[in-house]
Amino acid sequence: THSDLREAVGRILPSVEKPWRYIGGEAGQTVKPEADARIALVFPDLYELGMSNNALRTLYHIVNLDSRWAAERCYAPWPDMGRALMDAKIPLYSLETYRPLCDFDVVGITVQTELNYTNIPYVLDLAHIPIMAADRGEADPIVVGGGPCMTNPEPIAPFFDAFVIGDGEVLVRAIMELATRRRAGEIDRSEMLRQLSGLPGMYVPS
């Protein structure tokens, strides 16, 4: 359960640098214990760099305005925390509810610079999500990329199920609508990807 995961994280925090990066609870966060569909908004770099990212803050606000949906945050842990999570077999989790990323419907990763590329497989591995999109199955979330590096997503295409090439503020609602239908059993993973590929501004490598 998420309370068990929170306790497990609490046991490793004293051993890592700057543990406040990994606990959440900031003023202004939105916590929704119940939701029809959830997206984890992942910044594949340190908390200090990601917290000020306006694109993720905007997407967080848009998704959470809808009572059906929840958006939660996650940042790439520093190597000491990454090792501690691996050693304790704790999956990378969201700051709002300590929910493992692999339990979300959608994992959205913003790719700000090419320097973030190597952090993408790092984050997916820590989250217990198959690193290669081709290895994911019905139980896995849809991993979506976005951000400035979408001018050429091909170098990182094997890691992603879909890319937002267009306007994320518009497309995130369409993604969440499809995720809601998938959660309800109306469509499966492959049908969600097929429908995403038909949206203007979406690129589905498969």
Side-chain angles (χ1 to χ4, degrees):
T1 67
H2 303 150
S3 60
D4 291 341
L5 195 147
R6 186 189 294 261
E7 287 177 17
V9 169
R11 287 193 290 272
I12 64 174
L13 287 180
S15 68
V16 303
E17 184 185 327
K18 299 182 181 177
W20 46 261
R21 291 168 170 160
Y22 311 113
I23 58 175
E26 308 93 333
Q29 75 168 9
T30 302
V31 180
K32 293 184 177 178
E34 303 298 326
D36 294 340
R38 291 180 185 273
I39 182 170
L41 298 173
V42 179
F43 190 88
D45 212 321
L46 279 179
Y47 174 93
E48 297 94 302
L49 298 174
M51 263 302 285
S52 60
N53 183 266
N54 280 328
L56 279 191
R57 288 162 69 167
T58 301
L59 294 174
Y60 186 84
H61 179 68
I62 290 170
V63 173
N64 282 322
L65 277 177
D66 195 302
S67 61
R68 299 171 295 162
W69 303 331
E72 304 183 23
R73 298 162 300 132
C74 180
Y75 305 91
W78 195 245
D80 62 347
M81 181 63 167
R83 281 191 299 273
L85 289 171
M86 282 187 169
D87 291 346
K89 297 182 168 53
I90 299 171
L92 193 59
Y93 55 91
S94 71
L95 295 184
E96 278 73 9
T97 62
Y98 285 70
R99 181 182 304 269
L101 261 55
C102 55
D103 288 352
F104 280 77
D105 302 290
V106 181
V107 173
I109 303 177
T110 182
V111 191
Q112 294 292 309
T113 77
E114 287 82 357
L115 295 174
N116 293 146
Y117 284 2
T118 54
N119 280 356
I120 293 162
Y122 169 65
V123 164
L124 291 171
D125 192 32
L126 286 175
H128 299 183
I129 296 169
I131 292 172
M132 308 301 280
D135 295 332
R136 292 181 202 133
E138 205 56 55
D140 296 309
I142 300 289
V143 180
V144 181
C149 287
M150 295 308 96
T151 48
N152 178 22
E154 286 304 328
I156 47 174
F159 305 135
F160 287 90
D161 296 301
F163 290 103
V164 174
I165 309 293
D167 190 353
E169 289 88 328
V170 174
L171 286 165
V172 72
R173 293 189 61 83
I175 292 168
M176 294 307 292
E177 292 285 1
L178 287 170
T180 305
R181 292 184 59 203
R182 182 182 174 213
R183 171 65 64 183
E186 296 173 19
I187 56 174
D188 63 8
R189 195 174 202 281
S190 61
E191 177 60 17
M192 179 170 170
L193 289 174
R194 192 189 70 78
Q195 293 200 30
L196 284 174
S197 71
L199 296 173
M202 289 295 299
Y203 166 45
V204 176
S206 63

